[in-house]
Amino acid sequence: MTTNAEIQTALPALASGNVAVITGAASGIGLAAAKRLAAMGMKIVLADIGGARLDEARHAVAAIAGESAVLAVATDVSKADELDRLAERTFGAFGDVSLLMNNAGVGNNPGKPWENREAWKQLLDINFWGVIHGVEAFAPRMLAAGKPGLIVNTGSKQGITTPPGNLAYNVSKAGVKTYTEGLAHALRNEPGANVAAHLLIPGFTFTGLTEGATEKPAGAWTGEQVIDFMLASVLRGDFYILCPDNEATRSMDEKRMAWAIGDIIENRPALSRWHPDYKEAFAAFMK
Ligand SMILES: NC(=O)c1ccc[n+]([C@@H]2O[C@H](COP(=O)([O-])OP(=O)(O)OC[C@H]3O[C@@H](n4cnc5c(N)ncnc54)[C@H](O)[C@@H]3O)[C@@H](O)[C@H]2O)c1
């Protein structure tokens, strides 16, 4: 595990007393981030849909950071005005923000490409637009402050290799990947800017999103492992925070991604990895 001292010496954005805003903070990866950053002495703003889980998360984080260092704000990231309100509450309570984690996400599968438009829109409004709403609400003030800042958006391997199963989720996370790449480029070309963007790409992680499992599957990482890997990656200066898990190694992910982009280069059918004619070729490629 990377120590807090190592991280905070190299990354002034994460200094004790600085402010971190985390969406989707009532559960899973977001809650693990909140607890770890609280243990580093940061002030924490927890944003999630309201209710008992958000209250419980606030209690848990306050037990680490102290009551006065935690703010919980019921926020629906699919609504731009709620992110604006979150920003007002945050800047009013704590002042400048140095870490924004746009992490809220849902996995409800709306089904086929031509069905359930409203459910498709809802998923995209949360997973994709939620990230943009967060950046719009916080980035201008983070830039204006002129201080070191980080924006971490949570994508997914499903937004890169786009496996069949939940197309709307894949589309949303492919959008987050492209948006965050463009955000990183825009930030590094902004005169005087000291804010960097990163794409968090968790592997299989045991959280509220892991359907059906009551205890951690052997192949999954915990949220805490993801956050430790995230901090170590940001420390190295990595834009792509490509997390392995207990099943997928980095080299397996590299091959899967190479095969996916190879569909275009080799003029194979879309998603050839799951096409019966390419089963053997893909298996051989992975060896
Ligand atoms: N768990 C995995 O294996 C995995 C893998 C890749 C990516 N991810 C991504 O990681 C992120 C965190 O997910 P998690 O696995 O910790 O799941 P989780 O369900 O434990 O946490 C997601 C949180 O987002 C909140 N949320 C949902 N809709 C919201 C909305 N409209 N506004 C505000 N908050 C909302 C939920 O209430 C929940 O607390 C998500 O973006 C997810 O897509 C997870």
Side-chain angles (χ1 to χ4, degrees), residues 24 26-29 48-49 53 75-77 103-106 126 154-156 169 173 202-205 207-209:
S27 173
I29 294 167
D48 205 299
I49 47 179
R53 278 193 311 113
T75 309
D76 179 348
V77 297
N103 166 77
V106 291
I126 297 170
T154 307
S156 170
Y169 184 84
K173 294 298 186 176
F204 178 30
T205 312
T207 66
L209 212 77

Side-chain angles (χ1 to χ4, degrees), residues 166-181:
N166 188 342
L167 180 57
Y169 184 84
N170 294 352
V171 169
S172 73
K173 294 298 186 176
V176 171
K177 169 187 173 283
T178 304
Y179 177 77
T180 309
E181 288 167 339

Side-chain angles (χ1 to χ4, degrees), residues 9-276:
T9 305
L11 296 170
L14 303 183
S16 182
N18 282 8
V19 179
V21 178
I22 305 160
T23 72
S27 173
I29 294 167
L31 180 57
K35 288 178 174 172
R36 177 73 186 270
L37 296 164
M40 290 163 60
M42 294 189 78
K43 292 177 187 141
I44 309 294
V45 180
L46 306 158
D48 205 299
I49 47 179
R53 278 193 311 113
L54 182 57
D55 290 341
E56 282 165 27
R58 196 192 65 75
H59 279 296
V61 178
I64 302 166
E67 288 287 337
S68 63
V70 183
L71 182 67
V73 183
T75 309
D76 179 348
V77 297
S78 71
K79 300 195 167 76
D81 59 337
E82 297 206 13
L83 267 301
D84 293 341
R85 198 171 51 90
L86 174 69
E88 284 312 312
R89 292 276 311 272
T90 301
F91 292 120
F94 290 150
D96 292 334
V97 169
S98 65
L99 170 63
L100 171 65
M101 285 186 67
N102 290 302
N103 166 77
V106 291
N108 326 340
N109 185 356
K112 292 179 182 169
W114 51 84
E115 286 178 351
N116 299 323
R117 180 193 298 157
E118 282 313 311
W120 268 77
K121 277 191 165 173
Q122 199 188 2
L123 188 147
L124 289 168
D125 281 347
I126 297 170
N127 289 11
F128 177 57
W129 277 102
V131 171
I132 299 178
H133 294 156
V135 172
E136 286 174 344
F138 286 93
R141 291 271 298 259
M142 291 174 76
L143 286 165
K147 297 178 185 168
L150 298 168
I151 299 176
V152 180
N153 297 335
T154 307
S156 170
K157 293 175 193 178
Q158 287 178 242
I160 301 172
T161 56
T162 61
N166 188 342
L167 180 57
Y169 184 84
N170 294 352
V171 169
S172 73
K173 294 298 186 176
V176 171
K177 169 187 173 283
T178 304
Y179 177 77
T180 309
E181 288 167 339
L183 175 67
H185 175 82
L187 288 171
R188 70 172 172 254
N189 286 291
E190 189 71 13
N194 209 355
V195 180
H198 299 262
L199 181 69
L200 175 61
I201 312 164
F204 178 30
T205 312
F206 181 52
T207 66
L209 212 77
T210 326
E211 285 166 42
T214 49
E215 60 182 63
K216 190 182 85 59
W221 265 18
T222 62
E224 289 73 23
Q225 284 177 290
V226 170
I227 295 308
D228 191 50
F229 190 86
M230 177 187 90
L231 293 170
S233 302
V234 173
L235 189 62
R236 279 194 300 271
D238 298 350
F239 168 79
Y240 297 100
I241 305 170
L242 180 67
C243 302
D245 54 45
N246 295 336
E247 280 165 355
T249 61
R250 184 176 173 99
S251 89
M252 285 161 75
D253 280 332
E254 285 172 356
K255 284 189 169 172
R256 289 169 177 171
M257 290 187 292
W259 181 274
I261 198 69
D263 282 351
I264 303 173
I265 297 162
E266 306 290 335
N267 198 20
R268 295 188 294 248
L271 301 183
S272 70
R273 179 175 157 192
W274 296 276
H275 190 300

